[in-house]
């Protein structure tokens, strides 16, 4: 436990005792009432080291002293007082008390830390334990008890010193608040408070230096007009180097920005030799911090949107639903009277070139476009990656452009968005500019000029490498402007209907700034491609389920939001889980996305082709096809039902001599496709009499699994089924019966040579 920066007072005992002991009581004269008893305190030690990690008491701990308490009556005989004695320690920041452990309880009382304890003095004696904390100082133990003869309270005290290292500087920290400031005239905060904390070797605040200064602060390197101000022992001081002093280990100075932008380092130094920098520094300890000075002018914008509580369902009665009117309150965000429109919070973070927030109140414009869009091609109708913006001019060209015919063509008033940040070296060309006129399929002019792309100090032209979109807003609108707050954040609201959930859009934030090279005007823009989101949680469904395996099937996959509104233009992903065989969706093997995005009903059709799948069982399908989009998922079981188990040949003729035959077992599903992975078990038996008692089929049992062709094979050797008489006598017959776990079976019969066969084929 730490109590930093508290002033530690010393409490002197009223009675100085020898041999680490303390005592208390009072006497009486011959005419006085009966004398009180006395309390004697005897400690194993009264000096304890700092307990820097605040280790709990334990037997043998170097941070613990045992104190024996003895209560004696006026004649010096140990006796018990009235009730338990009371032990108290103060201040609580320096030390604590613990009683002896009581073995009858489930806890270890000795390992606890207390301020006050009741102590039962059996036969007038007992013990308490004093444990140091991590704060140096003097703690006073006070023990009180009631004399059984006089009913007066008797008190005794004992002091414990918790000592640390020599109180000279050993470490310091330095930190500015705020970490960034603005040049004068920028309109923002121009000063920062530099705080220095100085600690000794025991991690305690250094003592106050009295009339001397013990901290020197200086601006390292070029100050750029910045200065420091502080209060020294002689009064206020100002300059690039100042001296000041700590109070309770803390010193402060003010940093005032100059006209030069960039990071400015400030160094604090203390003297480990004597905690005094006024008389020179013999053993320096230093720490450095940085204050960033900037002009607060807009240099970069970053669009973002909250993940939680960003989307609101609007209501017919009075706009956005307040939390208390949710149905149920605070639950799904759906009001009782939704108006079929949503509002999404969009924010932009604005920084200057040094990474500071721009000056509060900077105006940020927002915009959105969403049409025309080529749904089959899954891209904006007029878009490409080969745009070329004329640096400092209004001309924009694209060899692949379709500015006249794409989606019906573009015209004045549409917006050209250039994603300059996507191509290294072109971030200054990130733009959202109004189209002034269309020159041709591949050329247009904007109503205002592009930036010079001169971030490096010189204008650079990388040619036709810029991604772009030309479009207009048809389905949504956004708050036109916002202003930055103290962290550089400006926010807007994007509004749209539930009939356009999933439609792609381009959103941008834009503000005016000053070109650092030319001093002229420039625009700072951030543009992102997004979509109109639905209300979470989304629901994904897939039907039918199950579908048949080892064939071609159609699955309808549909995506809706929490309002059951369809989400359009979504590309839904898929993946197979197949113990064996292969699966394709829309011609793609294994996993991928559907070939078509969801339509106006939020649904897309998936063509599923599987082959080589094993048979299903009662406990498991032959495979699973999983569809997913964001956090929503749906699964379709794939079933392969066995229809037949065939055995060939169906009859085997056997004489006395051994005959070896291979029986082929074939599993097929309901579509007649061979099925692999089917477990087939078989048992062969012989019915014999008389001289044919030696007839046999070896092996008589079989276990196999069908392969990719749907077959498995049982090779048997049979003998002793007929004698050599003419005509031969039917002395033995046999049968092999094969079964699957799905309940299918097939039979192969065996008979003597020359026996009739009433079915075909016979072998």
């Amino acid at each position: 436990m730490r109590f930093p920066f508290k002033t530690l007072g010393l409490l002197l005992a009223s009675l100085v005792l020898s041999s680490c002991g303390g005592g208390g009581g009072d006497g009486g004269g011959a005419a006085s009432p009966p004398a009180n008893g006395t309390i004697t305190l005897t400690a194993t030690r009264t000096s304890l080291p700092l307990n820097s990690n605040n280790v709990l008491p334990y037997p043998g701990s170097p941070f613990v002293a045992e104190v024996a308490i003895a209560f004696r009556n006026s004649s010096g005989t140990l006796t018990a007082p009235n009730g338990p004695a009371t032990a108290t320690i103060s201040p609580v920041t320096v030390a604590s008390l613990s009683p002896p452990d009581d073995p009858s309880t489930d806890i270890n009382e000795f390992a606890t830390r207390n301020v006050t304890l009741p102590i039962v003095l059996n036969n007038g004696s007992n013990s308490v334990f004093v444990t140091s904390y991590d704060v140096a100082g003097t703690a006073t133990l006070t023990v009180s008890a009631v004399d059984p003869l006089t009913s007066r309270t008797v008190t005794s005290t004992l002091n414990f010193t918790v000592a640390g290292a020599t109180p000279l500087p050993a470490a310091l920290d330095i930190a500015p608040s705020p970490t960034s400031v603005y040049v004068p005239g920028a309109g923002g905060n121009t000063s920062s408070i530099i705080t220095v904390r100085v600690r000794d070797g025991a991690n305690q605040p250094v003592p106050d230096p009295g009339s001397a200064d013990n901290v020197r602060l200086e601006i390292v390197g070029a100050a750029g007009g910045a200065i420091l101000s502080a209060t020294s022992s002689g009064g206020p001081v100002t300059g690039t180097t100042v001296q000041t002093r700590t109070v309770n280990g803390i010193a402060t100075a003010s940093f005032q920005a100059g006209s030069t932008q960039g990071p400015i380092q400030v160094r604090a130094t203390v003297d480990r030799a004597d905690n005094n920098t006024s008389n020179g520094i013999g053993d320096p300890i230093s720490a450095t911090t940085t204050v960033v000075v900037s002009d607060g002018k807009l240099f970069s914008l970053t669009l973002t949107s909250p993940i939680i509580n960003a989307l609101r369902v609007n209501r017919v009665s009075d706009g956005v639903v307040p939390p208390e009117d949710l149905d149920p309150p605070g639950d799904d965000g759906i009001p009782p009277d939704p108006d079929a429109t949503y509002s999404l919070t969009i924010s932009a973070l604005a920084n200057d070139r040094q990474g500071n927030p721009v000056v509060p109140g900077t105006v940020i414009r927002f915009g959105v476009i969403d049409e025309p869009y080529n749904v089959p091609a899954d891209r904006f109708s007029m878009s490409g990656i080969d745009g070329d913006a004329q640096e400092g001019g209004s001309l924009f060209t694209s060899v692949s452009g379709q500015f006249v015919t794409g989606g019906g063509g573009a015209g004045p008033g549409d917006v050209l968005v250039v994603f300059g940040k996507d191509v290294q070296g072109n971030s200054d060309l990130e733009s959202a500019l109004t189209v002034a006129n269309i020159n041709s399929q591949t050329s247009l002019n904007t109503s205002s000029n592009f930036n010079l792309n001169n971030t490096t100090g010189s204008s650079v032209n990388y040619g036709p490498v810029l991604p772009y979109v030309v479009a207009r807003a048809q389905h949504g609108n956004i708050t036109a402007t916002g202003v930055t707050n103290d962290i550089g954040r400006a926010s807007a609201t994007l509004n749209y209907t539930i009939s356009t959930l999933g439609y792609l859009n381009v959103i941008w934030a834009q503000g005016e700034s000053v070109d650092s090279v030319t001093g002229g005007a420039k625009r700072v823009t951030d543009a992102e491609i997004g979509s109109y989101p639905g209300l979470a949680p989304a629901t994904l469904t897939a039907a039918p389920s199950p579908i048949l395996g080892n064939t071609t099937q159609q699955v309808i996959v549909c995506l809706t939001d929490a309002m059951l509104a369809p989400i359009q233009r979504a590309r839904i992903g898929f993946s197979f889980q197949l113990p064996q065989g292969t699966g394709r969706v829309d011609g793609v093997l294994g996993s991928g996305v559907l070939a078509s995005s969801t339509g106006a009903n939020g649904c897309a059709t998936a063509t599923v082709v599987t082959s080589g799948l094993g048979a299903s069982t009662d406990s498991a399908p032959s495979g699973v096809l999983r569809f997913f989009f964001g956090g929503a998922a749906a699964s379709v079981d794939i079933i392969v039902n066995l229809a037949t188990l065939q055995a060939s040949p169906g009859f085997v003729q056997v004489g006395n001599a051994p005959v070896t035959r291979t029986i082929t077992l074939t599993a097929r599903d309901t579509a007649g496709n061979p099925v692999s992975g089917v477990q087939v078990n078989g048992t062969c038996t012989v019915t014999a009499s008389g001289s044919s008692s030696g007839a046999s089929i070896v092996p008589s049992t079989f276990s196999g699994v069908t392969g990719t062709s749907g077959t498995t094979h049982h090779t048997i050797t049979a003998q002793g089924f007929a004698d050599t008489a003419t005509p031969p006598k039917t002395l033995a017959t046999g049968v092999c019966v094969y079964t699957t776990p799905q309940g299918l079976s097939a039979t192969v019969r065996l008979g003597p040579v020359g026996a009739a066969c009433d079915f075909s084929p016979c072998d």
Side-chain angles (χ1 to χ4, degrees), residues 516-749:
S516 60
V517 178
T518 67
K522 67 175 290 184
R523 286 186 174 88
V524 178
T525 307
D526 186 39
E528 300 290 343
I529 294 180
S531 64
Y532 295 118
L535 183 67
T539 300
L540 191 65
T541 60
S545 179
I547 59 173
L548 296 178
N550 296 331
T551 185
T552 299
Q553 299 279 280
Q554 300 288 327
V555 177
I556 306 298
V557 188
C558 299
L559 181 65
T560 59
D561 78 341
M563 290 271 287
L564 302 181
I567 299 178
Q568 305 175 52
R569 301 182 181 179
R571 297 294 298 275
I572 296 173
F574 72 89
S575 64
F576 284 95
Q577 297 172 355
L578 303 177
Q580 62 188 74
T582 61
R584 296 175 183 270
V585 173
D586 296 340
V588 178
L589 178 66
S591 62
V593 295
L594 303 190
S596 60
S597 55
T598 55
N601 60 354
C603 300
T605 300
T607 300
V608 183
V609 179
T610 54
S611 62
L613 274 59
S616 305
T617 65
D618 291 340
S619 60
S622 300
V624 176
L625 174 57
R626 181 174 177 267
F627 296 96
F628 50 86
F629 183 87
S635 295
V636 172
D637 288 342
I638 306 172
I639 302 297
V640 175
N641 292 319
L642 281 182
T644 61
L645 178 66
Q646 299 170 326
S648 178
F651 182 82
V652 178
Q653 292 182 323
V654 184
N656 279 327
V659 173
T660 298
R661 293 287 185 271
T662 296
I663 299 170
T664 299
L665 301 155
T666 303
R668 296 184 182 277
D669 62 17
T670 52
N673 301 307
V675 181
S676 61
V678 178
Q679 177 70 45
V680 180
N681 298 313
T683 301
C684 297
T685 58
V686 175
T687 301
S689 62
S691 62
S692 65
S693 58
S696 65
I697 303 174
V698 178
S700 60
T701 60
F702 171 75
S703 179
V705 178
T706 59
T708 55
S709 62
T711 62
T712 185
H713 306 280
H714 183 200
T715 299
I716 59 174
T717 299
Q719 61 182 350
F721 273 54
D723 57 20
T724 56
T726 303
K729 298 178 180 178
T730 304
L731 302 177
T733 60
V735 64
C736 292
V737 178
Y738 300 93
T739 61
T740 70
Q742 291 81 11
L744 300 179
S745 64
T747 301
V748 175
R749 298 181 182 180

Side-chain angles (χ1 to χ4, degrees), residues 106-205:
D106 294 332
I107 65 171
N108 180 7
E109 288 83 359
F110 177 59
T112 62
R113 307 191 75 164
N114 306 274
V115 176
T116 300
L117 289 172
I119 304 294
V120 177
L121 300 180
N122 295 319
N123 299 321
S125 62
N126 207 334
S127 295
V128 294
F129 300 88
V130 176
T131 303
S132 61
Y133 273 119
D134 61 349
V135 176
T138 299
T140 300
L141 169 65
T142 302
V143 179
S144 302
V146 177
D147 186 284
L149 180 61
T150 67
S151 296
R152 295 166 117 186
T153 299
V154 181
T155 300
S156 181
T157 60
L158 185 62
N159 289 337
F160 291 84
T161 300
V162 177
T166 304
L168 293 174
L172 73 158
D173 298 320
I174 181 171
S177 179
T179 58
S180 57
V181 296
Y182 302 98
V183 297
N189 184 20
T190 60
S191 64
S192 176
I193 299 299
I194 309 296
T195 301
V196 181
R197 299 176 186 271
V198 187
R199 304 179 304 280
D200 64 19
N203 204 34
Q204 302 300 308

Side-chain angles (χ1 to χ4, degrees), residues 228-255:
L228 297 170
S229 299
T231 300
S232 72
S233 58
V237 289
T238 300
T240 57
T241 299
V242 297
Q243 295 207 87
T244 186
R245 52 186 170 170
T246 59
V247 176
N248 294 329
I250 301 175
T252 61
S254 173
F255 174 93

Side-chain angles (χ1 to χ4, degrees), residues 299-384:
F299 179 77
S300 68
L301 279 168
T302 302
L303 277 167
T304 186
S305 180
I307 297 175
I308 303 298
N309 295 330
L311 187 62
R312 295 289 183 269
V313 179
N314 298 318
R315 59 188 304 176
V316 172
S317 55
D318 54 2
V320 176
V321 57
E324 62 271 17
D325 287 349
L326 297 179
D327 184 18
D331 186 19
D332 56 8
I334 301 175
D337 56 343
D339 69 355
T341 65
Y342 290 164
S343 293
L344 178 70
T345 299
I346 302 293
S347 294
L349 194 65
N351 294 336
D352 64 20
R353 190 157 187 167
Q354 301 298 326
N356 290 349
V358 297
V359 175
T362 300
V363 176
I364 304 298
R365 299 185 300 275
F366 294 88
V368 62
I369 52 176
D370 47 39
E371 289 289 357
Y373 191 83
N374 188 325
V375 176
D378 197 20
R379 65 178 181 85
F380 283 93
S381 301
M382 291 174 287
S383 61

Side-chain angles (χ1 to χ4, degrees), residues 73-125:
N73 60 21
S74 59
S75 63
T77 302
L78 284 171
T79 187
N82 278 350
T86 300
T88 303
I89 194 139
S90 176
V92 297
T93 58
V94 176
S96 64
L97 295 177
S98 303
D101 181 40
D102 183 353
S104 66
T105 66
D106 294 332
I107 65 171
N108 180 7
E109 288 83 359
F110 177 59
T112 62
R113 307 191 75 164
N114 306 274
V115 176
T116 300
L117 289 172
I119 304 294
V120 177
L121 300 180
N122 295 319
N123 299 321
S125 62

